[in-house]
Amino acid sequence: MPFALVAEPATGGAGKGALPPTRKAPAASSLLLLEFPDGRLVVGAGTRRPLGRDPSFSPDAALLARHDTVSSRHAVVEFREDGTATIEDVGSRNATFVNGSRLAPHRPRPLRDGDEVWLSTLLAGTVRITGVARRKGDTR
């Protein structure tokens, strides 16, 4: 099921006993969640996920199909094994935004827990990253 409501795994803070930011791989339960009003996109570590209304491009096309301002081939989210995440606009007609900043096409932008992602100006989602130790300087 491409979109699913899932319980977020409990995550410890970056305090005493937390894994250092240089650890090589996140816990097996690490997930990137994109929380949209009508569903939650779940992306596992080591995964690239295309987003758009074209079912041959995106496994999540059925959910996005009702959003006319989302392009057929809109963006790609990647959640790497090391716990880092990016989003890349793949030349969409109505743009992709992160925290209010428009992305240049074909230039991946890092994502952090709590970021707000817009696919066009009408569909917003919130990034949640679970099961990954926070990196030094990350206050979210």
Side-chain angles (χ1 to χ4, degrees), residues 11-21 23 27 131-134:
T11 57
K16 189 173 183 178
L19 292 172
R23 86 183 221 230
V132 176
R134 294 186 189 270

Side-chain angles (χ1 to χ4, degrees), residues 17 36 48 69 101 128:
F36 291 105
R48 284 179 54 89
T69 60
S101 296
R128 296 287 176 226

Side-chain angles (χ1 to χ4, degrees), residues 75-98:
V76 174
V77 172
E78 183 173 7
F79 187 40
R80 295 182 191 94
E81 291 287 342
D82 67 1
T84 60
T86 60
I87 188 167
E88 176 182 349
D89 185 284
V90 293
S92 68
R93 185 176 58 177
N94 291 318
T96 303
F97 302 82
V98 175

Side-chain angles (χ1 to χ4, degrees), residues 32 34 43 47-49 51 75-80 82-89 96 98 103 107-112 115 117 127 129:
L32 180 142
L34 270 175
V43 182
T47 303
R48 284 179 54 89
R49 189 64 155 273
L51 303 176
V76 174
V77 172
E78 183 173 7
F79 187 40
R80 295 182 191 94
D82 67 1
T84 60
T86 60
I87 188 167
E88 176 182 349
D89 185 284
T96 303
V98 175
L103 303 186
R107 295 189 67 197
R109 159 79 189 264
L111 289 175
R112 297 187 319 168
D115 280 349
V117 170
V127 174
I129 299 176

Side-chain angles (χ1 to χ4, degrees), residues 7-12 29 130-131:
E8 293 187 30
T11 57
S29 62
T130 66

